Amino acid sequence: MEKYIEKFKSLKTPFYWYDMELLEETLAKVKQESDKYNFHVHYAIKANANLPILEKMVLHGFGSDCVSGNEITRSLEAGFKNNDIVFAGVGKSDEEICIGLENDIFCFNVESLPELEVINELASKLGKLAKIALRINPNVNASTHHYITTGLEENKFGINMWEMEDVLLALDKCKAINLIGLHFHIGSQIMDLLSFKGLCLRVNEIQEWFFARQIIVDHINVGGGLGIDYVHPDENSMPDFKSYFKLFHDFLEVRPKQKVHFELGRALVGQCGSLITKVLYVKNGVKTNFAIVDAGMTELIRPALYQATHTIENLTSKGCSKKYDVVGPICESSDCFGKALILPETKRGDILALRSTGAYGEVMASSYNLRSIALAHYSK
Ligand code: LLP
């Protein structure tokens, strides 16, 4: 990042910076490793929906994974093919379902029995046949932060296996629905690949259950969730995609002609983004010092919301090490990016980088305190 310091000094802070070379390297690796097994990757655009980033996904041949009507519209604008778009979400509105139907998207990931009935009704009205996958709650523990674990029976997501007989009965009556797949997603920022092994074994059992009822679907979607290294963003600038895809190849029992789909968000874009911010004031405290910066929880809410850690670097100081709490300007005590961090001596005007903010950073920004929304800049 050193080579960009002069550029950073000339730009209005705070802003998001995207290293497009790293993004390209990451996507090329994902493509290489997933192609080995003919796996198909959909990019979860909720992680970062900026057009230059989406365009790179399209160039690499990925599909998109959407959770709102606007995300479907944005995907189409960016050049994703309609037949490569999946649409998930526990609360799809009628209007959003119609956007999916009118654009003949690849698949709706259906999360409940009432949703199935509504899609059927809207599809018959529009004279469409809706392709759907049942999002099944596999009841697998992803061992991640409780706000971002999704695959347990107590979560609001997906259909539980004990409801499945009723769903199959309803499906028989839904003439405007074509069941093409099963969908699973167990959570996000998963660092232990064993959780995904647990998912594969559970999917195998669930497939047996369907097979016993003469149902074999063409598509198995195993969701996303692969985590990134927030502590060592340079040493581990990419997750271990090779082992990740190999694990699914080794443990997931795929029937002939079945295609396996993934919905990765964070793993594709997390490391390429940094939030660049300027130090406004340094306040000397008793136990620590406060570096008050011009970015806050309005630009990056992850630390306040999930106690997430983002590595912070002072790009403009080489002074002696001192201890700082790095805090934002918002009137909330949770507006804090890190406590008791060791940084080189920091002064007003220094530029800091909050690393690994490419996923769930810019997209979760708000204008609380009537703050302006930070801009994005790209390395090329
Ligand atoms: N598929 C489904 C159904 C999902 O719910 C999600 C993420 C993904 C795929 C993509 O997951 P990923 O590969 O990015 O882990 N805002 C939180 C993360 C929320 C994730 C929501 N669902 C954070 O900042 O950590």
Side-chain angles (χ1 to χ4, degrees), residues 44 46-47 65 67 88 111 135 148 150 157 183 185 187-189 223-226 230 263-267 302 306 359-360 364:
K46 65 172 82 65
D65 161 35
V67 285
E111 308 231 5
R135 176 169 181 179
I148 49 178
T150 48
F157 303 98
H183 173 238
H185 174 77
S188 197
Q189 184 51 19
L226 178 63
Y230 281 99
E263 299 169 344
L264 292 170
R266 185 186 327 255
R302 303 193 69 256
Y306 316 114
Y360 307 111
M364 294 180 80

Side-chain angles (χ1 to χ4, degrees), residues 222-375:
V222 292
L226 178 63
I228 60 170
D229 189 339
Y230 281 99
V231 185
H232 308 102
D234 291 319
E235 294 88 324
N236 291 320
S237 61
M238 258 184 238
D240 182 359
F241 292 114
K242 187 174 178 182
S243 307
Y244 172 73
F245 288 115
K246 183 171 184 307
L247 181 139
F248 282 91
H249 172 70
D250 289 347
F251 293 104
L252 190 67
E253 287 167 15
V254 180
R255 315 274 154 154
K257 291 205 229 139
Q258 258 182 354
K259 180 129 191 164
V260 182
H261 299 251
F262 291 79
E263 299 169 344
L264 292 170
R266 185 186 327 255
L268 304 196
V269 294
Q271 295 292 24
C272 77
S274 294
L275 174 60
I276 308 295
T277 180
K278 204 176 266 172
V279 177
L280 293 173
Y281 305 102
V282 174
K283 258 171 60 165
N284 296 325
V286 184
K287 289 195 189 139
T288 184
N289 305 296
F290 292 98
I292 302 163
V293 298
D294 64 2
M297 62 196 289
T298 41
E299 285 69 45
L300 179 67
I301 201 173
R302 303 193 69 256
L305 194 55
Y306 316 114
Q307 299 82 46
T309 309
H310 288 266
T311 297
I312 301 180
E313 289 164 2
N314 184 330
L315 302 178
T316 46
S317 166
K318 294 207 164 26
C320 309
S321 298
K322 283 182 86 170
K323 213 189 264 180
Y324 297 93
D325 283 9
V326 177
V327 301
I330 312 294
C331 311
E332 301 270 348
S333 302
S334 59
D335 186 31
C336 173
F337 290 130
K339 282 193 189 297
L341 304 178
I342 305 296
L343 292 175
E345 181 153 29
T346 296
K347 56 187 184 318
R348 175 173 166 82
D350 278 351
I351 301 215
L352 308 190
L354 280 84
R355 303 290 309 275
S356 319
T357 51
Y360 307 111
E362 208 183 330
V363 278
M364 294 180 80
S366 78
S367 50
Y368 182 42
N369 289 193
L370 281 191
R371 282 166 60 83
S372 310
I373 294 288
L375 293 179

Side-chain angles (χ1 to χ4, degrees), residues 25-225:
E25 253 174 71
T26 309
L27 302 186
K29 183 73 181 163
V30 172
K31 187 75 184 138
Q32 181 195 350
E33 297 303 331
S34 55
D35 274 358
K36 281 185 185 165
Y37 312 109
N38 199 21
F39 289 161
H40 189 50
V41 175
H42 298 255
Y43 167 56
I45 85 167
K46 65 172 82 65
N48 187 310
N50 292 4
L51 277 174
I53 289 180
L54 298 185
E55 282 158 9
K56 292 272 180 263
M57 302 292 168
V58 173
L59 282 179
H60 283 80
F62 301 136
S64 87
D65 161 35
C66 300
V67 285
S68 71
N70 287 346
E71 285 192 356
I72 296 177
T73 308
R74 175 71 65 88
S75 297
L76 293 168
E77 257 168 49
F80 287 99
K81 292 197 222 58
N82 59 334
N83 197 31
D84 230 351
I85 297 177
V86 295
F87 181 20
V90 279
K92 302 176 187 78
S93 70
D94 293 19
E95 195 188 340
E96 291 177 314
I97 292 170
C98 288
I99 293 177
L101 289 169
E102 276 152 10
N103 287 293
D104 294 315
I105 61 166
F106 169 60
C107 191
F108 291 83
N109 293 334
V110 173
E111 308 231 5
S112 68
L113 185 53
E115 181 193 330
L116 184 72
E117 290 165 349
V118 170
I119 296 179
N120 182 54
E121 198 185 307
L122 294 171
S124 7
K125 267 194 207 147
L126 292 174
K128 301 272 185 185
L129 183 63
K131 288 181 283 178
I132 68 128
L134 295 171
R135 176 169 181 179
I136 300 176
N137 194 337
N139 205 18
V140 171
N141 194 344
S143 309
T144 183
H145 191 279
H146 59 281
Y147 279 13
I148 49 178
T149 182
T150 48
L152 292 174
E153 275 176 3
E154 69 218 44
N155 295 127
K156 69 178 174 181
F157 303 98
I159 302 169
N160 292 311
M161 277 313 284
W162 42 264
E163 300 166 284
M164 206 48 77
E165 294 283 5
D166 288 346
V167 171
L168 293 187
L169 284 176
L171 262 174
D172 265 347
K173 294 193 203 115
C174 291
K175 298 300 172 215
I177 297 268
N178 181 13
L179 174 67
I180 63 162
L182 303 180
H183 173 238
F184 306 86
H185 174 77
I186 54 173
S188 197
Q189 184 51 19
I190 297 167
M191 294 306 277
D192 185 357
L193 288 184
L194 281 179
S195 297
F196 294 113
K197 180 178 170 189
L199 170 64
C200 290
L201 302 181
R202 186 74 185 113
V203 174
N204 295 343
E205 279 172 22
I206 293 174
Q207 282 236 73
E208 285 300 330
W209 188 96
F210 279 90
F211 195 52
R213 287 153 184 81
Q214 282 83 48
I215 298 172
I216 304 181
V217 292
D218 289 341
H219 302 276
I220 299 293
N221 182 336
V222 292

